[in-house]
């Protein structure tokens, strides 16, 4: 069983920045591919970014490329999402998720992830 706890969400003006954190339980964190997803109001969850267990491979949705950066610290069992140049359309509940199938490339489908955090709200005002 893996528990994931996100933090760092909040209200920010357009053009601002936020850093989300996701702390994970478990002694094999370095084997988990980690993903960030978001769910805007009234919409389905969408892939935002992902990072392989070693941190060597990352993947981003086109909508966030060049603005968001995913990273991880395996010593701290934590994955991060640095969000810069935020736009109102980035407003959503953001979730981190763990894919415990190892080894595997970063997956972009939510169905490939086994464990999910409770989510953290990000609101970007115009």
């Amino acid at each position: 069983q893996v528990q994931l706890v996100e933090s760092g969400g909040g209200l920010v003006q357009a053009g601002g920045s936020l850093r989300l954190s996701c702390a994970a339980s478990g002694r094999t964190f370095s084997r988990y591919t980690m993903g960030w997803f978001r769910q805007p109001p009234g919409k389905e969850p969408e892939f935002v970014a992902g990072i392989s267990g070693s941190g060597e491979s990352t993947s981003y949705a086109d909508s966030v490329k060049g603005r968001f950066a995913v990273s991880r610290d395996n010593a701290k069992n934590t994955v991060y999402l640095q969000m810069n140049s935020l736009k109102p359309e980035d407003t959503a509940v953001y979730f981190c998720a763990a894919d415990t199938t190892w080894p595997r490339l970063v997956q972009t489908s939510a169905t490939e992830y086994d464990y999910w955090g409770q989510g953290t709200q990000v609101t970007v005002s115009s």
Side-chain angles (χ1 to χ4, degrees):
Q1 192 79 335
V2 178
Q3 293 184 326
L4 304 172
V5 179
E6 302 98 334
S7 60
L11 173 64
V12 64
Q13 288 188 330
S17 298
L18 283 174
R19 188 175 84 152
L20 305 183
S21 299
C22 173
S25 65
R27 292 185 288 181
T28 56
F29 177 72
S30 62
R31 291 192 171 193
Y32 306 157
T33 296
M34 298 299 295
W36 285 99
F37 290 79
R38 66 186 181 188
Q39 186 168 19
K43 296 185 179 181
E44 294 294 315
E46 59 184 28
F47 175 78
V48 175
I51 187 167
S52 63
S54 66
E56 293 179 351
S57 177
T58 58
S59 180
Y60 296 92
D62 288 343
S63 58
V64 306
K65 279 181 182 177
R67 300 188 298 123
F68 290 13
V70 60
S71 61
R72 66 191 296 159
D73 184 339
N74 286 342
K76 295 182 178 180
N77 276 22
T78 302
V79 63
Y80 305 97
L81 184 67
Q82 178 67 44
M83 306 186 294
N84 300 324
S85 302
L86 283 161
K87 304 175 181 180
E89 51 264 43
D90 294 318
T91 294
V93 178
Y94 283 71
F95 299 89
C96 69
D99 173 5
T100 60
T101 300
W102 183 86
R104 187 155 74 164
L105 297 174
V106 174
Q107 303 294 304
T108 61
S109 171
T111 59
E112 300 296 338
Y113 289 79
D114 310 296
Y115 298 96
W116 292 77
Q118 82 288 351
T120 185
Q121 177 70 46
V122 172
T123 302
V124 184
S125 63
S126 58

